[in-house]
Amino acid sequence: MPLLAALAVSASLTLGPAASPPAARDPGVLLRGKVVTMNDAGDVWPDAGLWIRSGRIEAVVRAGSPLPAGARSARVVESGGVIYPGLIDLHNHPAHAAYPLMPVGKAYEDRYEWRFYDDAYDRRITYSEFVLASPDYYDLAAELGRYGEYKALAGGTTSLQGADDGLPSSARGCLVRNVETADVGPRRAVSRVDLGRDAREWADLARAQKDGVLVLHLAEGTGERMADEYRAVERSGLVGPRLVAVHGVGLTADQLGDMAARGAGLVWSPLSNFLLYGTTTDVAAAKAAGLDVSLAPDWAPSGSKSVLGELKVADLVNKHRLNGLFTDRELAQAVTRNPARALGWDRRAGRLAAGYVPDLVVLDDRNADPYRNLIEATEENVRLVSVAGDMLYGDEPVMARARATPDVEPAARFPGDRVKVMAGDCPGTDLPPMPLTETRDRLQRALAMDPRFLLDRVGPKPESVRRIRAELARCPGGEPPGELTPPDIQRVLSCRLGLPFEETRLSALTTYEDPEWMNRLVANPNLPAYLKALPDYYRRQ
Ligand SMILES: [Zn+2]
């Protein structure tokens, strides 16, 4: 074998399983724009291009460099923007993406206070979730999962943590990659919200970590009870390179230092922390200890709509509370290469280079500094999002050039008739198409506890009707003699679950479309004054 060919073979072997197909097949796409590589050197190449073919980046072509032979017949797509690695969201609960921001009336000490002892939370989230997802009620588990993916894409996210494995589309990574199921790195993530309560549960966590990277909620709140959580995790032998701690609000500087020394990762979700607890993680101590910090939004009921939104929160916290401790480039790393490294994906994701996955987001070029440009971009500025080379979301004209097939639907409309379109199919899966418009409509009707819609959903399912009748038998008025009617449905929801609790509007896809999100945010009593400047990022320039 000639030396050059041998080198090429060994390069493709070390770069993972996506070997190049014969060049005669699909020539792929040459996506042109300013390329922000997020590599170690911080290279940014204007007027460059990414040659994308068969689910991988074949080459990054710099201005003035000759095109690789195979790329000459590739379809050229002028993005007109700045190309970044797709954002990796290492802390979310996409099944809850449909919910609006919760009104919060007080500062909680820790997550156990609102999760287990707050009746409003139960009725607003837990019971609503049951009614929306249960096959005997609205049966919208698939829609809930898919909506979480749609929202992620609208914010430039290409990989998502926290998909509930009970939800069919999200667990299988219909549109975005799920870190729990994607095979980008040598291991998959295993996500857990709760610590062990007994020896058996701790052993289960240890077993999960043996096979994968354990992404674990830890010390979400303040006080000694939270610092104790770390001691328990430490005693169970879980602290190491295969632990990613989510939140860590209550971790001491020593504990953060210990995590760094042992190679563990940390995910920071400042907005959710401030809204619920009035404070956040000691990321200054984390940084001083050399801990890699990833930034992620937590979830819709108490967080940003996406990683892109959370970047603005981090920017304000960095400016006003941390005295500019993080550079703009470091904040950009916290949503790209840091989460990739935490997952063990750093040789194939989180930056743009040959051999890496073509997960990327293209943004408007509004600021000469590419990292500031990312931090200040809103959903309006998202021109294109690609997952594995599939162009799934973006501006209508860019998508028309980038996507081989025209199977998209309008997703959001910004002033000046700037329309974003979404591709709702699930490439490579047998999941049914689920148009965004229909998904939104179904979820909104269910959130409004529309009784007729529930009857439509359960009508063809005699077993579900039987179960609802059995529930009614336990309510005042008892089981109805005839067919179920809308008042019967209202009666069972009210009597068994205390629903509807309040008027609930579907959380819109983008921040721009959702003034209620901003109103509830600035009304939150736990929010530091400087975070009330958050709407400024969304004022149109
Ligand atoms: Zn969480």
Side-chain angles (χ1 to χ4, degrees):
M1 186 181 287
L3 180 62
L4 274 177
L7 282 174
V9 167
S10 83
S12 74
L13 285 178
T14 56
L15 290 170
S20 312
R25 280 174 39 198
D26 177 19
V29 168
L30 184 70
L31 181 68
R32 296 190 42 83
K34 184 197 277 185
V35 174
V36 183
T37 64
M38 299 307 297
N39 66 12
D40 293 343
D43 289 320
V44 177
W45 291 316
D47 300 319
L50 290 180
W51 178 30
I52 298 166
R53 185 175 63 166
S54 302
R56 78 180 230 146
I57 298 174
E58 295 281 5
V60 183
V61 186
R62 296 171 61 179
S65 308
L67 275 180
R72 282 179 203 138
S73 48
R75 198 150 40 90
V76 178
V77 177
E78 290 290 346
S79 78
V82 190
I83 310 173
Y84 300 85
L87 310 185
I88 301 175
D89 181 345
L90 204 43
H91 176 206
N92 210 313
H93 303 270
H96 289 83
Y99 292 94
L101 203 64
M102 291 192 286
V104 175
K106 59 175 262 196
Y108 296 100
E109 185 161 316
D110 58 43
R111 70 199 187 115
Y112 302 103
E113 228 187 304
W114 54 266
R115 270 181 82 207
F116 299 124
Y117 304 109
D118 189 324
D119 176 53
Y121 173 76
D122 273 345
R123 293 166 68 192
R124 185 174 281 139
I125 306 284
T126 316
Y127 302 161
S128 294
E129 169 77 4
F130 167 74
V131 170
L132 261 64
S134 164
D136 288 336
Y137 288 84
Y138 287 103
D139 195 9
L140 296 172
E143 283 82 352
L144 285 167
R146 192 75 59 92
Y147 194 63
E149 297 196 71
Y150 284 138
K151 243 175 143 182
L153 283 172
T157 301
T158 54
S159 290
L160 198 49
Q161 180 271 345
D164 182 337
D165 52 16
L167 303 183
S169 71
S170 54
R172 284 161 60 185
C174 156
L175 297 169
V176 298
R177 290 184 202 271
N178 279 293
V179 304
E180 294 87 355
T181 53
D183 56 357
V184 176
R187 283 176 291 278
R188 291 177 180 181
V190 182
S191 297
R192 293 280 194 276
V193 172
D194 291 311
L195 303 185
R197 285 168 304 184
D198 54 35
R200 193 183 55 80
E201 289 187 0
W202 282 110
D204 175 57
L205 289 172
R207 238 189 331 271
Q209 195 181 39
K210 228 188 205 130
D211 302 328
V213 176
L214 179 63
V215 183
L216 181 66
H217 280 58
L218 179 62
E220 185 188 349
T222 57
E224 195 53 25
R225 176 155 71 168
M226 294 297 99
D228 278 346
E229 284 200 345
Y230 185 77
R231 291 177 199 116
V233 168
E234 207 272 327
R235 267 198 311 276
S236 305
L238 297 175
V239 182
R242 292 205 196 173
L243 176 71
V244 178
V246 171
H247 288 301
V249 180
L251 297 180
T252 65
D254 283 349
Q255 290 172 335
L256 291 163
D258 186 48
M259 280 175 60
R262 299 191 200 194
L266 176 74
V267 188
W268 182 37
S269 297
L271 186 60
S272 183
N273 297 158
F274 278 115
L275 292 181
L276 294 169
Y277 314 112
T279 187
T280 190
T281 316
D282 187 356
V283 283
K287 189 181 188 213
L291 197 56
D292 258 352
V293 178
S294 301
L295 178 74
D298 195 351
W299 66 340
S302 70
S304 305
K305 283 186 189 284
S306 68
V307 173
L308 199 61
E310 196 69 359
L311 268 171
K312 287 131 198 65
V313 178
D315 189 39
L316 287 174
V317 177
N318 189 42
K319 240 179 235 160
H320 296 276
R321 183 177 162 118
L322 303 173
N323 207 16
L325 180 73
F326 292 96
T327 63
D328 289 348
R329 184 176 162 199
E330 285 170 334
L331 289 181
Q333 288 171 343
V335 296
T336 51
R337 48 185 284 158
N338 292 4
R341 182 156 43 209
L343 290 165
W345 288 10
D346 41 336
R347 295 182 66 184
R348 291 198 62 217
R351 62 187 88 179
L352 298 177
Y356 276 63
V357 293
D359 293 4
L360 49 93
V361 54
V362 184
L363 301 174
D364 291 342
D365 194 354
R366 301 189 306 156
N367 193 309
D369 181 278
Y371 309 114
R372 180 75 357 223
N373 194 60
L374 170 62
I375 290 166
E376 293 187 355
T378 70
E379 295 112 331
E380 182 175 0
N381 305 118
V382 175
R383 300 173 79 88
L384 184 68
V385 183
S386 151
V387 179
D390 279 312
M391 311 298 176
L392 295 176
Y393 177 80
D395 282 331
E396 199 168 28
V398 185
M399 282 283 279
R401 291 194 295 272
R403 199 170 158 80
T405 47
D407 49 344
V408 295
E409 60 172 326
R413 184 181 295 273
F414 291 90
D417 262 347
R418 188 164 179 182
V419 176
K420 312 285 177 191
V421 294
M422 179 84 76
D425 59 345
C426 297
T429 77
D430 56 0
L431 292 163
M434 192 176 289
L436 171 61
T437 320
E438 203 174 290
T439 305
R440 274 200 276 228
D441 179 58
R442 288 179 176 183
L443 290 173
Q444 181 53 74
R445 289 180 76 184
L447 284 167
M449 303 288 150
D450 179 338
R452 282 182 195 285
F453 182 45
L454 203 154
L455 283 174
D456 289 348
R457 301 287 290 169
V458 298
K461 297 190 284 190
E463 194 53 27
S464 296
V465 171
R466 196 191 59 74
R467 288 203 186 96
I468 291 175
R469 297 185 74 89
E471 292 293 323
L472 275 165
R474 303 164 67 186
C475 293
E479 192 180 337
E483 292 215 335
L484 290 179
T485 61
D488 293 326
I489 296 302
Q490 284 166 325
R491 195 154 55 87
V492 76
L493 293 178
S494 158
C495 147
R496 302 298 294 150
L497 298 157
L499 295 174
F501 173 61
E502 62 194 354
E503 191 192 329
T504 305
R505 273 204 294 275
L506 176 71
S507 171
L509 202 64
T510 67
T511 315
Y512 172 75
E513 301 162 283
D514 198 348
E516 185 182 86
W517 187 88
M518 210 54 92
N519 293 340
R520 285 195 170 177
L521 182 88
V522 295
N524 181 292
N526 307 324
L527 201 70
Y530 61 79
L531 279 178
K532 298 196 178 190
L534 210 52
D536 293 348
Y537 292 88
Y538 296 90
R539 291 210 173 95
R540 304 192 65 247
Q541 295 163 1

